[in-house]
Amino acid sequence: ESSGKIVDACFKTFGCGSAIASSSVATEWVKGKQMEEVVTIKNTEIAKHLSLPPVKLHCSMLAEDAIKAAVKDYEAKKAKLAQKGEEKAAEA
């Protein structure tokens, strides 16, 4: 947490091979990167890397959305913990 880098990532995907591959690539690409950096990963980059056909582009879109949702969830939880810490400090 002190470095701000993502040390690990995992996924739970149901669907076709393209969806699973997109999720897998996304997890590999976010490891070792800063939060600000991973939200710039675009579905088009994932689709190009996997050579996805046009009919499967929604799979890479889901992977991009999942990255952004995970970062948003992490930041919300971190803010909530900070707020609780401030409240405890104010009570003391």
Side-chain angles (χ1 to χ4, degrees):
E1 190 170 316
S2 61
S3 70
K5 288 186 179 182
I6 298 169
V7 294
D8 197 14
C10 62
F11 68 95
K12 188 174 193 176
T13 301
F14 298 100
C16 66
S18 297
I20 294 168
S22 294
S23 299
S24 181
V25 165
T27 60
E28 290 303 312
W29 284 4
V30 301
K31 291 178 187 175
K33 294 192 172 124
Q34 300 289 331
M35 294 283 194
E36 302 82 27
E37 190 178 357
V38 299
V39 294
T40 65
I41 295 173
K42 300 293 179 206
N43 69 295
T44 52
E45 296 167 328
I46 295 170
K48 184 178 179 181
H49 178 75
L50 294 171
S51 300
L52 294 179
V55 71
K56 293 294 184 176
L57 291 181
H58 65 282
C59 298
S60 61
M61 289 179 202
L62 292 171
E64 178 185 342
D65 291 345
I67 292 169
K68 290 178 180 174
V71 169
K72 185 177 179 180
D73 181 61
Y74 174 81
E75 289 174 345
K77 287 178 180 176
K78 189 175 175 183
K80 190 174 182 180
L81 285 174
Q83 183 180 10
K84 283 185 180 181
E86 289 173 6
E87 288 173 3
K88 284 185 179 181
E91 291 173 4

